Amino acid sequence: MNQKTTMLSSELNTYWGEVANTFQWKKKWDTIQTGNFTDVNVEWFKGGQLNITENCLDRHLEKRRQKKALIFEPNNPNEAAAFYTFGELHIAVSRFANLLKKKGIKKGDVVCFYMGMTPELMIGLLACARIGAIHTVVFGGFSPQSLFGRLIDSKAKLIVTHDGAYRGDKVTPLKSMVDEALAMNTDKEKTSVETVIIVRRTNNDVDVVAGRDYFYDVLIKDCDLHCPAEVMEAEDPLFILYTSGSTGKPKGLLHTIAGYMVHVGNSFKDVFQIKENDVFWCTADIGWITGHSYLTYGPLLNGTTTIMFEGIPNYPTPARFWEVVEKHQITHLYTAPTAIRSLEKFGVEIPDSFPMKSLKVLGSVGEPINEEAWQWYHKHVGKNKCPIVDTWWQTETGGIMISPLAGITKLKPAHATLPLKGIVPILVDEKGNIVTELVASGNLCINTPWPSLARTIYGDHERFKQTYFSTYKDLYFTGDGAKRDADGFFRITGRVDDVINVSGHRIGTAEVEEAINENPHVTESAVVGFPHPIKGQGIYAFVTCNDHFDHPEDLEKDIRETVQKIIGPIAKPDVIQIVLGLPKTRSGKIMRRILRKIVENDLENIGDTSTLLNPECVDLIIEGKK
Ligand code: WTA
C-alpha cells in the first residue's frame, strides 16, 4: 500500500467505499459522503444500516468463538488475569445490554461510565452500542464536580460505577464520588440520572439509595444471554467523549456509528499491520479516546485479542510493564511518551533484563515523543527490531490520521511521518494561506472530510463550527503546529492554542484558571504550560491574591486543593507563583504569551513590553520565577 498517494476527492470516496465494504452492514449506504467543511454538515454512508457490535463480535463467532477477545490484567500482579473469548464477550455484552434495557434504557439514551479499568467497562460500552444507547465515559481522575457538569451536559439517565477502583496502591471511592456529584443537583441544575449501577471491585462500603442504586452482580444474574442487535442508521450517535478546549467548559465530542467504525477498524489494521495471532496492548485508560478506538473498537472490529490493564506502569515495581509483556506474550505495545519517560528514569537494566521476544511493533500516542525517549523505547523495549509507529490524532478525529505503517514506512525518530490513505493534511501559515512548499512549518489543518470526524459538540453545534472550522476557511483546524520535511514527513510540534498536554492528557488553561479563581484568596490567575522532563508539559500558574500570606506555601496548597476539587487531581498545577500583578494589555487582556516565554526561559523573545498597562510586573515575575 502506497501511503503517498495524492487522491482526488472522487477517488477518496471510492476508497472509503471500498473500506466500508469490508464491514458487515444490515443495509448498504445510498451515498458515501455528503456535506462539507463550509456548512459543517459532513455525513458518511447515509442510508446504511448496521450495528457496530455485530462487527466487533457476532461476525467473528464462526471462526473465532474460542479465540481470546479480551485479557484482563489486574492492578495487583498476585491476582489472576481474566480472559474472555469472543463467544464469552458476546454473551457478556448481550446480558449487560439486557440489564440496561431492564433499567429502562432505550435507543438514543445516554449512559455514563465512571469506572476503573475492569472488563465491565468495555462490556458496558458495547452493551450500549448493542441497543443503540450512547455511551459517555468520564475518566475516574475527574472530580465529582467535573462529573456533575458532564452529567448535566450529556443528560445521562444511568451511570455505571465501581464501589472503588484500584490504581497502584490507591483505591478511589468512585461510588461515593458519584453520590457527591448527584448531591449537587439543584432545582435549577439537575442531572437526568435515574439509576446508578455499582460494579463491585474493591469491596468498599457504599451507600445504597433505594430505588436508584443497584449492584451489577445482583441484576446481571437474571439477564438473558441473547440480545438482538438494534438496527442503527449510519449517522446515529455512538458516543460522546468530553475533552478540553480553549474555554473553560469541556466539549462533548459526538461520534457517529458507521464513519467511526470504518476508519477506526481500518486504521488499526493498517497502522499496526495486525496478524491473526497478535496480542494488542494499548495502555490508555478507556476514559480517553485512545482507549475507545484502539483498546476497544479497533481490535475487536478486527477480531484481535486486546488486553486491558487495570494498573499503572510503576506498581508494584517499574518492571510491571515488561512483566505484562512477557506474561501475555504481547506483540504490539501502544503507549504514551510520558509512560516511556517515567520508566526511563529507573534505568535501562530493568527493560534490558526482559527479552520481550514476542514484541513486533511499538506505538506512541498522545503527545510529541522526544527523540531521546524514542531511541530508548526503540533500543531497550523493542531491542532495535520493532518499528515504532508515532501516531498523531485527536479525540475529534476519532482515529489515527498521521502515522507510519509498521514495517512499511521508513522510520524517522519523533516524526509521525505520513498521512494514512484517505487523509489529506495541509499546513497553513499565519495569514491563513495554504503552504505549498514541501519543506515548511505551519498550523496543521485537514483539507477534506474523513469518516471518523466528530460530527458536533453535543448540544452546541455553533461552538463546533467556531472551534474547528472558522479559523481557516473550508478547513478543519487541529489546534496543532507541525513541520514537514523533504520526505513529506510531518513532525507535530505541539498545541498552538490554549490547550496544554500534560502526560498526554489535554487540559485547557482557561479551565484551570476558572478553578483557581474559585479559591476565595485568589484575585486573578493565568495558567501556561512549561516544558516538563517527564510529563511533556507541566502546569504553571501565576496567581494574584487579595490577602497577604506569611507562608505562601499554605496558599499554594489551598489552591491545589481547590483545583483537585473542581476538576480533579490531573489538573493540579505543578508550579504556583504568587505575583503582585499579571502582564496586561491596555485593554486589560492578560498576556499569556509573555508568561509562556518566561516559563520556557526564552527571555530573548519576550518582545516589547513597554506598551503593556503594567510593564514593571514583568521583571518582578522573572525575578520570582520558580
Ligand atoms: C497531541 C489523543 C504529537 C496533539 C489521541 C493533539 C500528539 C492532542 C500525538 C490530542 C503525536 C496526539 N505526536 N502530538 N503522535 N498524538 N498528540 O484528543 O497535540 O487526547 O492535538 O487525543 O494530543 O489529544 P487527545
Side-chain angles (χ1 to χ4, degrees):
M1 157 173 195
N2 179 1
Q3 226 183 325
K4 271 194 178 169
T5 332
T6 327
M7 298 166 108
L8 300 169
S9 69
S10 59
E11 287 170 353
L12 276 172
N13 279 0
T14 310
Y15 168 71
W16 287 118
E18 282 165 14
V19 176
N21 261 322
T22 64
F23 293 86
Q24 187 178 306
W25 298 77
K26 287 179 189 286
K27 175 177 168 282
K28 283 276 163 81
W29 54 90
D30 301 327
T31 47
I32 292 181
Q33 191 256 318
T34 54
N36 53 55
F37 287 165
T38 317
D39 300 317
V40 192
N41 56 352
V42 172
E43 292 190 314
W44 286 85
F45 311 114
K46 268 298 245 204
Q49 290 178 331
L50 73 164
N51 187 296
I52 194 170
T53 68
E54 288 190 330
N55 282 276
C56 287
L57 300 168
D58 303 59
R59 77 170 160 151
H60 303 308
L61 292 182
E62 197 182 324
K63 277 206 204 127
R64 304 186 175 108
R65 188 183 288 273
Q66 307 293 344
K67 177 179 170 175
K68 277 180 202 153
L70 172 64
I71 300 173
F72 170 62
E73 175 61 30
N75 179 57
N76 181 341
N78 299 321
E79 186 183 331
F83 304 92
Y84 289 76
T85 63
F86 276 93
E88 287 162 344
L89 194 60
H90 180 255
I91 291 174
V93 167
S94 304
R95 294 183 85 186
F96 202 151
N98 285 324
L99 184 157
L100 293 174
K101 277 198 205 164
K102 270 194 191 173
K103 286 291 154 214
I105 297 301
K106 298 195 187 64
K107 185 172 178 169
D109 286 343
V110 177
V111 175
C112 175
F113 293 82
Y114 187 58
M115 300 178 74
M117 288 276 285
T118 74
E120 291 82 4
L121 173 54
M122 184 188 284
I123 294 165
L125 302 194
L126 296 166
C128 287
R130 189 81 179 169
I131 62 172
I134 304 165
H135 56 77
T136 185
V137 184
V138 176
F139 176 59
F142 283 113
S143 68
Q145 191 159 332
S146 292
L147 173 64
F148 178 70
R150 285 157 173 77
L151 289 172
I152 295 275
D153 191 79
S154 65
K155 303 176 198 69
K157 279 181 138 174
L158 182 146
I159 174 160
V160 188
T161 191
H162 273 123
D163 51 355
Y166 292 121
R167 241 182 97 73
D169 56 5
K170 291 201 196 77
V171 173
T172 314
L174 291 175
K175 169 59 171 65
S176 25
M177 292 161 80
V178 169
D179 291 340
E180 255 183 76
L182 295 179
M184 291 175 191
N185 276 328
T186 59
D187 288 342
K188 248 175 74 200
E189 225 188 7
K190 197 165 184 314
T191 73
S192 313
V193 175
E194 293 163 7
T195 312
V196 179
I197 305 287
I198 310 155
V199 178
R200 272 190 253 253
R201 175 68 183 132
T202 56
N203 288 322
N204 278 32
D205 277 343
V206 293
D207 293 334
V208 175
V209 176
R212 188 194 76 179
D213 302 354
Y214 301 89
F215 283 102
Y216 175 79
D217 51 329
V218 175
L219 294 182
I220 201 80
K221 279 204 240 103
D222 301 325
C223 292
D224 198 77
L225 313 186
H226 301 280
C227 177
E230 189 74 38
V231 181
M232 302 302 290
E233 299 297 324
E235 281 291 336
D236 278 340
L238 177 63
F239 65 85
I240 301 168
L241 188 60
Y242 287 87
T243 188
S244 294
S246 323
T247 68
K249 191 170 183 283
K251 308 173 277 197
L253 272 316
L254 181 91
H255 281 280
T256 55
I257 299 169
Y260 177 81
M261 171 185 83
V262 167
H263 181 55
V264 168
N266 190 59
S267 56
F268 176 79
K269 176 167 66 69
D270 282 352
V271 169
F272 298 103
Q273 295 290 305
I274 286 291
K275 303 281 178 306
E276 186 60 45
N277 293 321
D278 288 344
V279 179
F280 191 85
W281 184 17
C282 164
T283 68
D285 192 287
I286 292 187
W288 311 114
I289 190 70
T290 310
H292 281 58
S293 301
Y294 299 106
L295 198 166
T296 305
Y297 289 108
L300 296 178
L301 284 166
N302 286 280
T304 304
T305 306
T306 181
I307 149 159
M308 188 173 184
F309 175 50
E310 188 184 28
I312 52 173
N314 54 358
Y315 177 81
T317 73
R320 185 73 167 119
F321 262 25
W322 324 129
E323 285 164 5
V324 174
V325 168
E326 295 288 14
K327 177 173 174 187
H328 297 294
Q329 292 292 291
I330 305 292
T331 57
H332 292 65
L333 173 63
Y334 189 34
T335 193
T338 296
I340 299 163
R341 288 189 297 259
S342 71
L343 293 172
E344 210 180 317
K345 69 172 194 249
F346 295 101
V348 298
E349 301 73 22
I350 303 180
D352 284 354
S353 65
F354 292 84
M356 296 191 266
K357 289 218 169 76
S358 58
L359 282 178
K360 296 196 291 190
V361 176
L362 303 176
S364 171
V365 60
E367 48 180 319
I369 180 164
N370 49 313
E371 182 148 358
E372 194 202 337
W374 194 100
Q375 297 292 1
W376 190 91
Y377 197 27
H378 192 252
K379 184 165 176 206
H380 300 288
V381 183
K383 318 294 180 195
N384 293 321
K385 67 176 178 49
C386 302
I388 297 180
V389 290
D390 177 359
T391 64
W392 174 84
W393 58 295
Q394 310 177 296
T395 305
E396 294 83 347
T397 70
I400 297 169
M401 303 291 278
I402 304 180
S403 169
L405 306 181
I408 296 176
T409 314
K410 181 176 91 175
L411 294 177
K412 197 179 277 184
H415 285 70
T417 74
L418 296 171
L420 299 196
K421 196 169 174 183
I423 305 293
V424 191
I426 50 168
L427 295 176
V428 179
D429 66 20
E430 309 91 78
K431 295 197 191 85
N433 301 316
I434 295 179
V435 181
T436 47
E437 295 83 31
L438 180 61
V439 180
S441 60
N443 286 345
L444 183 65
C445 291
I446 313 289
N447 200 355
T448 51
W450 68 99
S452 63
L453 166 69
R455 299 296 188 257
T456 192
I457 291 176
Y458 188 66
D460 198 349
H461 196 60
E462 206 37 52
R463 185 175 179 201
F464 185 65
K465 285 184 177 172
Q466 276 300 322
T467 312
Y468 305 105
F469 301 95
S470 70
T471 320
Y472 303 112
K473 193 168 173 306
D474 299 338
L475 299 175
Y476 165 81
F477 175 42
T478 64
D480 280 316
K483 288 187 172 150
R484 191 170 48 209
D485 69 10
D487 289 323
F489 281 14
F490 286 92
R491 175 178 191 148
I492 314 298
T493 46
R495 302 288 306 191
V496 294
D497 56 7
D498 290 327
V499 170
I500 43 186
N501 199 326
V502 183
S503 304
H505 302 158
R506 271 166 73 169
I507 296 177
T509 52
E511 211 179 333
V512 184
E513 288 167 7
E514 278 181 23
I516 292 176
N517 297 348
E518 291 286 310
N519 187 293
H521 305 291
V522 170
T523 320
E524 255 187 333
S525 63
V527 167
V528 294
F530 72 99
H532 189 287
I534 291 179
K535 299 176 175 186
Q537 280 190 298
I539 304 178
Y540 199 120
F542 295 91
V543 173
T544 60
C545 56
N546 47 25
D547 294 311
H548 173 73
F549 280 83
D550 287 333
H551 302 286
E553 356 23 291
D554 294 343
L555 176 61
E556 289 172 23
K557 188 164 165 269
D558 206 51
I559 291 174
R560 286 201 175 85
E561 277 164 17
T562 310
V563 176
Q564 161 139 358
K565 185 168 150 274
I566 294 176
I567 308 177
I570 57 168
K572 274 199 284 188
D574 299 274
V575 184
I576 298 176
Q577 182 179 343
I578 297 170
V579 296
L580 289 173
L582 295 167
K584 286 187 183 168
T585 60
R586 285 176 198 262
S587 60
K589 194 169 164 293
I590 299 175
M591 292 293 287
R592 290 184 184 72
R593 196 184 53 78
I594 294 180
L595 297 172
R596 228 173 278 136
K597 294 290 171 203
I598 296 176
V599 300
E600 284 166 5
N601 280 326
D602 186 11
L603 299 183
E604 279 164 24
N605 289 314
I606 276 191
D608 181 15
T609 55
S610 62
T611 56
L612 292 178
L613 183 70
N614 50 353
E616 70 290 347
C617 78
V618 175
D619 286 339
L620 287 174
I621 292 176
I622 295 171
E623 260 170 51
K625 182 177 171 283
K626 296 198 181 174

